[in-house]
Amino acid sequence: MIKRAIIITLILNSLILIGVPAGHGYGIMVMFEFISIPTLIKNGFDFHKEYPFESSLILVALVSLIGKLILISLLFTKNILKKNWIYIGLTLMLISFLFVCYGAWEYDNFLFAITLGSGTPFLMYFGRILYLIKKENNKTELVAK
C-alpha cells in the first residue's frame, strides 16, 4: 500500500506545471529534471541576476530529482518502513515544490495558481504517505507489546 502511494506521489510530482515567466510558456517538473543534469555539467551553477527564478529552476529540479531517485531506490528494498530515507526523499520533493510556488508567487498570481493547482494532488498523496507510515508504525507497536 505504501509502495503504491509512493509511485503515485512520484508521478504526481513529475506532472506539476511550472510556468516560466520570461515568456517561454509552461513545462512539467520532469522536463526540468531531465534538463538539469546536462545543463549543470555544461554551465555549472550559473545564476543570472536579471532572471533569478529561471536560473534557479535547474537547481530546484536537481533537488527534486535527487528526492525522486531516493524514493525509487527505496521501492526496491524489502522493508521500506525501516528506512528514514523516505522522509528525506519526500522532504526534498516538497522543498522543490514550495520553492517553485514561491518563485511563481513573486512573478504573477496566475502562474502561482497554475503551479499550486497542479501540485495539490502531489500534496494530498504526500500526506497520504505520512498517514500510511504512521498507521503501519502504530500497527507494529501494538504487535510488539
Side-chain angles (χ1 to χ4, degrees), residues 29-62:
M29 181 73 83
V30 72
M31 180 184 76
F32 287 102
E33 290 169 356
F34 283 127
I35 294 171
S36 68
I37 294 174
T39 303
L40 285 175
I41 290 171
K42 182 180 175 186
N43 299 334
F45 293 104
D46 185 26
F47 292 106
H48 302 287
K49 292 182 181 177
E50 61 270 1
Y51 299 114
F53 179 59
E54 288 91 345
S55 60
S56 63
L57 275 178
I58 299 300
L59 186 60
V60 169
L62 184 67

Side-chain angles (χ1 to χ4, degrees), residues 1 129-140:
M1 188 79 109
I129 289 174
L130 296 179
Y131 169 75
L132 289 172
I133 290 173
K134 184 177 179 185
K135 181 179 166 184
E136 193 68 30
N137 285 340
N138 286 342
K139 198 182 300 184
T140 58

Side-chain angles (χ1 to χ4, degrees), residues 9 90 121-133:
T9 304
L90 286 173
F122 160 70
L123 293 175
M124 291 170 42
Y125 262 89
F126 179 86
R128 178 159 172 77
I129 289 174
L130 296 179
Y131 169 75
L132 289 172
I133 290 173

Side-chain angles (χ1 to χ4, degrees), residues 9-145:
T9 304
L10 290 169
I11 292 169
L12 291 174
N13 184 276
S14 297
L15 297 178
I16 293 173
L17 284 174
I18 300 173
V20 182
H24 300 301
Y26 294 96
I28 56 176
M29 181 73 83
V30 72
M31 180 184 76
F32 287 102
E33 290 169 356
F34 283 127
I35 294 171
S36 68
I37 294 174
T39 303
L40 285 175
I41 290 171
K42 182 180 175 186
N43 299 334
F45 293 104
D46 185 26
F47 292 106
H48 302 287
K49 292 182 181 177
E50 61 270 1
Y51 299 114
F53 179 59
E54 288 91 345
S55 60
S56 63
L57 275 178
I58 299 300
L59 186 60
V60 169
L62 184 67
V63 170
S64 177
L65 181 65
I66 292 170
K68 286 180 185 174
L69 291 175
I70 289 171
L71 290 177
I72 289 170
S73 65
L74 285 176
L75 289 174
F76 296 106
T77 60
K78 273 191 174 184
N79 195 352
I80 194 167
L81 292 176
K82 297 286 185 185
K83 311 289 183 194
N84 286 332
W85 286 96
I86 192 168
Y87 295 117
I88 295 171
L90 286 173
T91 303
L92 289 175
M93 288 182 0
L94 182 67
I95 287 171
S96 65
F97 172 68
L98 292 176
F99 187 80
V100 167
C101 282
Y102 177 73
W105 178 269
E106 290 291 318
Y107 278 103
D108 187 26
N109 288 339
F110 184 71
L111 290 177
F112 172 73
I114 294 291
T115 304
L116 185 66
S118 65
T120 302
F122 160 70
L123 293 175
M124 291 170 42
Y125 262 89
F126 179 86
R128 178 159 172 77
I129 289 174
L130 296 179
Y131 169 75
L132 289 172
I133 290 173
K134 184 177 179 185
K135 181 179 166 184
E136 193 68 30
N137 285 340
N138 286 342
K139 198 182 300 184
T140 58
E141 286 176 4
L142 291 175
V143 171
K145 289 182 181 181

